[in-house]
């Protein structure tokens, strides 16, 4: 391929343009004879070159054609190629994004996320509805961000948690030692008045707050990335492997914990 060919000219276009550089202004018929481009193709070639502003036509009878200066032509051809390369680059980037998305793991369908800060009405309602889904066992670990809250902030969530619990439910509550300091003096009385069978223990430290419902779902508090004393929401996961990992973690904490209420 010639250099002009690499810049985007066909063989007929290159022959036509190079011939015009030598001949100066000539008619299409004269150009066909001189360049060797067939008369059946010469007008298409000239129209294409003119549309790309590589040649120009003199108004005469018959029309004559003149080549644009080579420096200008090279710049225009280079601009065309740059545009084509950018279009091609964008196409490849789109293709790469599609391939990248297809190669990623399929997002889990058995999960959900609820926005809600500590003590918010929407989270209290969500906790109440969440507990109503439990049929036999709920295990809950209470650590950050509850440790830095006040009872006034947490009261509505705790009440929503207990209001959703049915009478046949077994509930294991595990508080970190720091979270225990948030509980009011009347907390033992609050536990005693619940219809569910509730056992409360305390552990020195809990990495994060979560619960496990019937060993089929775990909900995890997501700490707020800006305000460490709050959460941004709660994520619910039903993936059996994830639930099993949290169940095992809870059991390790529970085994080493001590009773909070005698």
């Amino acid at each position: 391929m010639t250099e002009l060919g690499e810049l985007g000219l066909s063989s007929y276009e290159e022959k036509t343009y190079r011939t015009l550089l030598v001949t100066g202004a000539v008619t299409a018929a004269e150009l066909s004879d001189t360049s060797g481009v067939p008369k059946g193709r010469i007008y298409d070639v000239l129209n294409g070159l003119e549309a790309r502003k590589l040649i120009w036509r003199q108004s005469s009878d018959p029309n004559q054609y003149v080549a644009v200066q080579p420096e200008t032509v090279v710049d225009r051809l280079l601009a065309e190629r740059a545009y084509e390369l950018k279009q091609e680059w964008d196409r490849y980037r789109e293709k790469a994004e599609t391939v990248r998305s297809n190669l990623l793991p399929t997002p889990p369908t058995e999960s959900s996320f609820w926005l809600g800060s500590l003590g918010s009405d929407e989270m209290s309602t969500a906790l109440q509805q969440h507990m109503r889904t439990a049929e036999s066992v709920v295990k809950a670990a209470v650590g950050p961000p509850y440790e830095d809250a006040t009872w006034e902030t947490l009261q509505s969530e705790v009440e929503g948690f207990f209001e959703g619990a049915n009478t046949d439910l077994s509930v294991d509550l595990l508080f970190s030692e720091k979270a225990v300091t948030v509980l009011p003096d009347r907390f033992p009385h609050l536990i005693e008045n619940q219809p569910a069978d509730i056992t409360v223990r305390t552990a020195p430290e809990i990495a994060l707050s979560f619960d496990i419902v019937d060993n089929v779902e775990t909900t995890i508090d997501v700490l707020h990335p800006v305000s460490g004393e709050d959460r941004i929401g709660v994520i619910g996961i039903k993936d059996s492997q994830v639930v099993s990992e949290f169940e095992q973690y809870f059991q390790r904490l529970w085994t080493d914990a001590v009773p909070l209420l005698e």
Side-chain angles (χ1 to χ4, degrees):
M1 181 180 289
T2 65
E3 293 176 343
L4 282 175
E6 290 190 28
L7 287 176
L9 289 187
S10 69
S11 61
Y12 282 169
E13 288 173 333
E14 182 175 353
K15 286 180 181 180
T16 300
Y17 178 75
R18 287 187 181 276
T19 301
L20 283 174
L21 288 177
V22 175
T23 62
V26 291
T27 65
E30 293 170 336
L31 188 56
S32 174
D33 293 337
T34 305
S35 66
V37 176
K39 285 184 171 59
R41 293 294 314 280
I42 191 64
Y43 285 102
D44 288 339
V45 172
L46 288 170
N47 289 337
L49 291 173
E50 185 181 6
R52 295 163 70 184
K53 298 182 179 180
L54 305 182
I55 65 172
W56 57 281
R57 176 172 43 180
Q58 291 181 338
S59 296
S60 58
D61 188 16
N63 289 325
Q64 291 187 325
Y65 297 87
V66 180
V68 173
Q69 289 300 310
E71 294 83 358
T72 303
V73 167
V74 170
D75 288 343
R76 287 175 180 171
L77 290 174
L78 183 61
E80 287 181 2
R81 296 297 287 168
Y83 176 78
E84 291 170 359
L85 289 171
K86 182 180 183 303
Q87 294 295 104
E88 191 73 358
W89 170 246
D90 290 342
R91 186 177 72 83
Y92 277 117
R93 288 184 62 183
E94 291 178 3
K95 182 66 65 176
E97 288 300 321
T98 300
V99 172
R100 186 179 292 113
S101 298
N102 291 338
L103 292 177
L104 290 174
T106 303
T109 56
E110 294 298 313
S111 64
S112 51
F113 183 77
W114 301 276
L115 285 171
S117 59
L118 287 175
S120 62
D121 292 339
E122 60 268 25
M123 190 53 65
S124 299
T125 301
L127 272 173
Q128 184 176 353
Q129 295 175 346
H130 176 59
M131 286 296 290
R132 285 175 179 167
T133 66
E135 297 180 356
S136 57
V137 179
V138 173
K139 301 172 183 178
V142 183
Y146 297 92
E147 297 173 339
D148 297 309
T150 63
W151 175 247
E152 287 73 19
T153 300
L154 301 182
Q155 183 175 357
S156 63
E157 287 195 15
V158 173
E159 291 175 349
F161 180 89
F162 287 134
E163 285 174 8
N166 63 62
T167 56
D168 298 326
L169 200 61
S170 173
V171 180
D172 290 340
L173 282 178
L174 182 63
F175 289 88
S176 69
E177 291 181 351
K178 189 174 180 181
V180 170
T181 63
V182 178
L183 301 177
D185 293 338
R186 62 183 180 85
F187 185 73
H189 181 68
L190 178 65
I191 295 296
E192 291 174 359
N193 288 339
Q194 300 305 319
D197 180 16
I198 301 174
T199 304
V200 185
R201 294 186 184 183
T202 180
E205 185 176 355
I206 297 175
L208 76 172
S209 297
F210 64 94
D211 68 35
I212 304 165
V213 173
D214 294 331
N215 292 333
V216 296
E217 180 180 11
T218 180
T219 60
I220 308 162
D221 285 68
V222 181
L223 296 182
H224 199 291
V226 176
S227 176
E229 298 180 356
D230 202 351
R231 64 157 175 251
I232 194 170
V234 176
I235 185 171
I237 302 175
K238 293 184 179 180
D239 181 87
S240 59
Q241 181 175 347
V242 174
V243 175
S244 177
E245 291 174 356
F246 274 85
E247 164 68 17
Q248 293 173 26
Y249 175 54
F250 183 89
Q251 288 305 130
R252 289 196 299 271
L253 293 173
W254 188 259
T255 300
D256 297 331
V258 298
L260 179 63
L261 306 176
E262 295 295 346

